[in-house]
Amino acid sequence: MLKVVIAGGFGVGKTTAVGAVSEITPLSTEEYLTEASVDVDSLEGVEAKQTTTVAFDFGRLSLPEPVPLELFLFGTPGQDRFGDLWYDLSRGAVGAVVLVDTRRLASSFTAVSFFEDIRLPFVVAVNHFDGAHRYHPDQVRVALELHASVPVVTCDARDPRDVAGVLLTLVDHSLKNAPADSARPPSTTTLQDA
């Protein structure tokens, strides 16, 4: 069992991605946007958005190949004001997917910086919105100032196969970047043995 975080800016498709790939009915904390959030939540570029995640989304995906895996998916809220919750959701995670919308790329910097700061392996998944210009992953890498080792892939967050492919890329990336000593069993030395 592996814990995975799906993060990104407001309205990039995190709830959609969790819902598309989850084999269980996803737990969703979507609430309607109200007048109370007008001063703190910008709807620029997502004017039609009517709901937002206020805690997290949760889903589960079992993958039989290449080795049996059960992924627990935690989608974060996208607004910066929920940033403290990201620490809790990231605790114990094997890695994160930073979902981006190239029409509003600036909203992705917070998530990229967050996972760089806490040193959690992550991949960037460019969500292909209908009608949005398609950029090459290398162009997105340059725009987000990503290290060459960070995978950048494209997907449609509505397509279960695309989202599963992104998750497999993340698991592979995380395993390749795991500390060498993480494979060793924990020490059983006690104070009496010292």
Side-chain angles (χ1 to χ4, degrees):
M1 293 183 287
L2 300 174
K3 180 180 182 181
V4 171
V5 176
I6 299 176
F10 184 53
V12 297
K14 299 175 298 292
T15 299
T16 301
V18 171
V21 78
S22 181
E23 63 197 19
I24 61 170
T25 302
L27 169 68
S28 178
T29 59
E30 288 282 296
E31 292 293 336
Y32 284 101
L33 293 167
T34 65
E35 292 295 320
S37 69
V38 169
D39 293 335
V40 291
D41 295 333
S42 171
L43 292 177
E44 186 175 341
V46 287
E47 291 82 4
K49 189 162 177 56
Q50 296 180 357
T51 61
T52 186
T53 300
V54 296
F56 62 89
D57 298 311
F58 174 77
R60 185 184 72 212
L61 176 63
S62 299
L63 299 169
E65 298 174 15
V67 294
L69 288 175
E70 188 170 23
L71 303 179
F72 293 128
L73 312 173
F74 289 83
T76 69
Q79 299 94 319
D80 290 349
R81 62 189 165 103
F82 292 114
D84 288 343
L85 183 58
W86 289 21
Y87 286 100
D88 292 331
L89 293 175
S90 298
R91 190 171 293 120
V94 68
V97 173
V98 175
L99 201 57
V100 302
D101 177 355
T102 57
R103 301 169 301 173
R104 299 175 297 113
L105 202 57
S107 70
S108 305
F109 283 101
T110 299
V112 168
S113 295
F114 176 82
F115 294 113
E116 287 175 341
D117 289 347
I118 68 167
R119 297 178 184 213
L120 186 66
F122 68 96
V123 300
V124 169
V126 179
N127 189 5
H128 280 170
F129 283 89
D130 294 335
H133 181 77
R134 303 293 196 249
Y135 292 93
H136 190 276
D138 289 339
Q139 293 173 293
V140 175
R141 176 185 307 289
V142 170
L144 289 175
E145 301 175 356
L146 297 172
H147 190 275
S149 66
V150 176
V152 179
V153 297
T154 60
C155 72
D156 181 335
R158 301 168 295 188
D159 185 326
R161 290 174 305 210
D162 277 9
V163 178
V166 170
L167 295 169
L168 284 172
T169 300
L170 171 65
V171 170
D172 182 61
H173 175 65
S174 296
L175 291 174
K176 287 178 181 173
N177 289 286
D181 62 352
S182 66
R184 291 187 203 136
S187 172
T188 57
T189 303
T190 64
L191 288 176
Q192 293 174 340
D193 295 331

